[in-house]
Structures are given as C-alpha cells and as structure tokens.
Amino acid sequence: MAAHTSAHAQITVYTNCDAFLGAVVNPGVDTYDDLLVEMYAPSLNRTAGAYNYTVSAGEGIYGAGEGGDGWLSTNSPYDRIAFNNFSSVVYALGGEFFGSNLLGRFTPGTTIILTALNGTSATYVLPESETGSFVGFVFSSPLNSVVVGTFGEGYWPTANNLVLAAVPEPGSYGMMLAGIGVLGWLARRRRT
C-alpha cells in the first residue's frame, strides 16, 4: 500500500565509517590483504561479501601495503582506480582512500579525488589523507561507478577496506510503518 515515485538520483557523502554503516544494510568488505606488492592485470574481478565488482586501472593494478596490510593502487601516479560492474543491488560504496609512493607505502599529506556516478555525479576531494581516511557514497539508485585519482604529484591513488552495501528501500520503510500501524490498531482493539 505504499506509493513509489521516481525521483532524481541523489548521492549522500559520508566521511565517517560508522555513520556510513548506519545508513546501509548488508555491507560486504574487500580488504585487499590477498594482494602482494606487485603488478597485476589492468582489470580484476573482486568480491566484497556477497557483492561482485570489477576494479581497473589503465596501466594495471598494483598491490601495495605495509606491515601485512594489503592495499590496492595503480601502476602510475597519473592513472585512476575505477570501481564498476557492481552486482545489481549495490547502492553504496565506501572505503579508506589515500596516497602511496613508488614502493607501495603510505605517503602522508596527499590529496585524493573521488567521483561517484549513478546517473548524476558527485566529486569529493579528500585533502591530507591518512591510511584511515574514510569516504563513502550512498545512492538513491543503483551504483554505476566510483573513480579514485590524485593530482599526479608523485603519489599514487590507493584504496583499502572497500565496503559495498545495499540501502533500505523507501518501500520497505512504508511497509514497515504500515505493519507497525496494523499491530498498534490490533493491540488497541484487543484492549477495548
């Protein structure tokens, strides 16, 4: 009994992981800990929990990381990481984004640029990034792609702990509210 109206796609940006996780359902994480510090193909098929996706970079994916913590990077500081070909239920993407150096190690004070697309676009610039710098996008329609890059100033775009998730559908909220209303009406009727 809920009406559905089509609206212009909206994107909400989160810089706090807990707030992002509170806005989504069924999150899946890809830690990249299986990647070695070496060169990979320009495109990799990956999973984050129950979600499938493709990650690509023009000159190839580069495994990076420090202290046993694997990261995902590119082979060139001028290249970008593209996340796309998501499972149809993916409405949200978040993760830790920062810069790394030629050896795949963290570079402090870097600026990362993220652009999300789903019929509309949003760009978020993350200045002074750290290994725990979180950015998440929540969409009102299925996700098309997210592209991560730098200004090419001697550091490479890097990602870690990528989270893909669904979002509660507005129709689900309507049905839940209707169900609560019916339960309240039944409880009131029983009292009389």
Side-chain angles (χ1 to χ4, degrees):
M1 308 270 219
H4 174 67
T5 60
S6 119
H8 184 52
Q10 296 181 8
I11 302 172
T12 305
V13 179
Y14 291 86
T15 56
N16 178 286
C17 184
D18 291 335
F20 172 82
L21 291 174
V24 302
V25 296
N26 303 324
V29 179
D30 191 353
T31 63
Y32 303 118
D33 288 344
D34 61 319
L35 296 179
L36 302 174
V37 179
E38 65 183 37
M39 185 68 167
Y40 290 88
S43 180
L44 298 175
N45 293 321
R46 304 285 300 178
T47 59
Y51 308 102
N52 299 317
Y53 71 99
T54 301
V55 59
S56 58
E59 294 186 28
I61 300 296
Y62 191 81
E66 295 178 332
D69 185 13
W71 307 332
L72 179 86
S73 191
T74 64
N75 192 41
S76 165
Y78 301 100
D79 212 346
R80 300 176 302 163
I81 302 170
F83 301 97
N84 54 27
N85 297 327
F86 301 100
S87 302
S88 61
V89 296
V90 173
Y91 282 69
L93 179 145
E96 297 164 353
F97 303 99
F98 48 94
S100 59
N101 64 19
L102 179 64
L103 301 175
R105 296 192 177 113
F106 169 65
T107 302
T110 58
T111 299
I112 303 299
I113 306 158
L114 298 103
T115 303
L117 302 164
N118 75 333
T120 187
S121 68
T123 298
Y124 185 83
V125 177
L126 178 63
E128 299 295 320
S129 65
E130 297 291 331
T131 55
S133 295
F134 182 88
V135 176
F137 298 96
V138 176
F139 301 82
S140 63
S141 62
L143 173 59
N144 290 339
S145 68
V146 172
V147 177
V148 180
T150 68
F151 290 109
E153 299 173 355
Y155 54 90
W156 286 247
T158 307
N160 195 19
N161 298 320
L162 187 81
V163 180
L164 299 179
V167 295
E169 295 182 23
S172 300
Y173 286 127
M175 291 299 286
M176 181 180 70
L177 291 173
I180 291 170
V182 168
L183 288 175
W185 178 75
L186 288 173
R188 185 170 184 233
R189 189 166 174 220
R190 281 194 178 147
R191 277 188 272 158
T192 58

